[in-house]
Amino acid sequence: MVDDRDIQAGLDRAFLALADPVRRAIVARLSRGPATVTELAEPHAISTQAVSRHIQVLELAGLVTRSRDAQRRPVHLAPAALAELTAWIDEHRLAHERRFRALDAVLTATRTPPTITPGTHPAEQEEP
């Protein structure tokens, strides 16, 4: 059984890992398919060692995995971890949308149409 604190700790690690723009770029690149550290380092002006450290942070957060393919160690996106983040965000977004819909319903129910009494409408005013 998964404890709520474990879930919260996992979310903390994942959001903390995604707080860095290089790590977000790595996740975005991996959404198109697996890549090696060298391939992931190409668009960045940082060393492959620095990219490896970023990948390590993403791995600890459960957002990526590595496999072995002969001499290559491709990095893969872990879509299940991203689905958990999306589910958490959706849960809170939907709660806010429900509150706004309830507020909108109250405002619509309490809205009274404007009353126009004869002689007060601007179109009925005589020009001097």
Side-chain angles (χ1 to χ4, degrees):
M1 183 169 156
V2 179
D3 187 356
D4 187 53
R5 287 178 290 185
D6 292 339
I7 293 170
Q8 294 301 320
L11 288 170
D12 289 348
R13 280 192 300 274
F15 282 118
L16 186 62
L18 292 173
D20 186 279
V22 172
R23 291 183 209 133
R24 286 194 305 272
I26 290 171
V27 168
R29 166 56 188 87
L30 292 173
S31 69
R32 296 192 310 267
T36 63
V37 172
T38 304
E39 292 166 339
L40 292 170
E42 282 175 2
H44 304 286
I46 57 177
S47 67
T48 53
Q49 290 81 10
V51 170
S52 288
R53 281 193 295 272
H54 283 298
I55 291 169
Q56 209 169 24
V57 172
L58 291 169
E59 247 182 323
L60 289 172
L63 297 171
V64 300
T65 60
R66 290 187 204 204
S67 62
R68 183 167 293 281
D69 180 21
Q71 298 298 320
R72 298 181 48 181
R73 293 210 56 208
V75 181
H76 306 264
L77 193 59
L82 290 177
E84 288 176 18
L85 296 177
T86 303
W88 184 86
I89 291 170
D90 280 348
E91 176 185 328
H92 294 282
R93 181 182 55 79
L94 292 173
H96 280 283
E97 284 181 10
R98 278 192 295 274
R99 286 189 200 123
F100 283 123
R101 280 196 297 272
L103 176 61
D104 194 38
V106 168
L107 291 174
T108 299
T110 59
R111 186 178 300 147
T112 57
T115 55
I116 299 174
T117 53
T120 60
H121 193 274
E124 297 175 333
Q125 299 287 322
E126 291 184 22
E127 293 191 22

